[in-house]
Structure formats: structure tokens, C-alpha cells
Amino acid sequence: MNEFVVKGYIFWVIAIVVFAILEAITTQLVSVWFIVGSIAALISERLGAPFYLQLIVFVGISAITLILTRPLIKKHLKPKNEPTNADRVIGQTGVVTEKIDNLAAKGLVKVDGQIWSARSTDDSVIEEGKQVEIMRIDGVKLIVAEK
């Protein structure tokens, strides 16, 4: 009996360490709940619970902490989309300074005094000198539609 208690104790300590290392590597809060569950299972093991009950405690406590804390953590870890000054050109009118051809991966538009790489929204070719409406920004390219 003493031998099993030691093995159970070691099992949960190893589980705690493994989940802690996994959490440190990922930095995405993927195993923090399992650390709490492992600690609860370790406590139940030290109180003499059989292994099947330790597993039930592990799963139960892990699930409860996940359900209670995940929405709160997701809210605080949600990446914030910071608008940049470049967004101000969306909806404006620009002038094509180099023919826009999506297949050839070419095209330039001048808008708000700046030259941008551009692509058409519908893969149509837009000739130099035409006016276009800026629909959105995709990376460093304007996505435009002919006016």
C-alpha cells in the first residue's frame, strides 16, 4: 500500500510539472486548468483516495476551473485591433498611376498624396488615369473598385 501511495504522489507531481512546462512554453493558457486539477488530485491522493477517484477529481476540477475562468481570461487576452492612420483612406477616391492588373501583380494608386500598391476587388484590369474607390487595405495594398 505504501508503495502505491508513493507512485500516486509521484504521478501527480510529474503531471503538475509537465503541465507547468507546457504552459510556460505555449504562453496561451492551455494547461493552467490541468495544473489546478493535478494539484486537487494530488491532495485527494494524499488523503488516501483510490486512483479512479483521483482521476475523477482531476477531470472534475480541471473542467470546473476551465468553465469558470476561460471567459474571463479570453476577455483579457483578446488581441486589440489598433486602427492606424492608413485606415483613413478607406472610402476615399484615388487615381490609378500604374495599370492595376491582379494577375501580373501590378498596380499603383495615388490617394491622399501618397502612392500605394493596389489590386482590384474583382480581378478586373483598371487602366492608368481612372478613378477608383478604396474599399479596404490588405497588408500594404489597397483593394479598390473602379468608380
Side-chain angles (χ1 to χ4, degrees), residues 93-101 106-119 125-134 142 144:
T93 300
V95 177
V96 177
T97 59
E98 177 186 290
K99 179 171 81 169
I100 298 173
D101 184 349
K106 292 186 175 190
L108 296 175
V109 169
K110 184 173 185 174
V111 62
D112 201 22
Q114 295 181 328
I115 303 291
W116 288 75
S117 293
R119 301 295 180 263
V125 175
I126 305 173
E127 296 297 326
E128 187 176 333
K130 297 279 187 174
Q131 288 192 338
V132 291
E133 180 180 356
I134 289 65
L142 298 180
V144 301

Side-chain angles (χ1 to χ4, degrees), residues 25-131:
I25 291 171
T26 61
T27 68
Q28 293 293 318
L29 294 176
V30 295
S31 64
V32 111
W33 306 278
F34 303 126
I35 295 170
V36 175
S38 296
I39 292 170
L42 175 63
I43 292 169
S44 71
E45 186 276 335
R46 297 312 299 165
L47 294 174
F51 190 71
Y52 76 89
L53 186 56
Q54 296 170 34
L55 286 176
I56 292 171
V57 168
F58 168 74
V59 171
I61 296 297
S62 296
I64 289 169
T65 55
L66 173 64
I67 291 167
L68 293 177
T69 61
R70 183 74 173 160
L72 179 66
I73 290 171
K74 273 187 104 171
K75 178 181 168 187
H76 290 296
L77 290 181
K78 190 180 221 179
K80 294 179 180 160
N81 192 3
E82 294 267 337
T84 63
N85 287 338
D87 294 340
R88 73 180 181 280
V89 299
I90 297 173
Q92 289 189 16
T93 300
V95 177
V96 177
T97 59
E98 177 186 290
K99 179 171 81 169
I100 298 173
D101 184 349
N102 291 5
L103 293 176
K106 292 186 175 190
L108 296 175
V109 169
K110 184 173 185 174
V111 62
D112 201 22
Q114 295 181 328
I115 303 291
W116 288 75
S117 293
R119 301 295 180 263
S120 63
T121 56
D122 58 0
D123 289 333
S124 62
V125 175
I126 305 173
E127 296 297 326
E128 187 176 333
K130 297 279 187 174
Q131 288 192 338

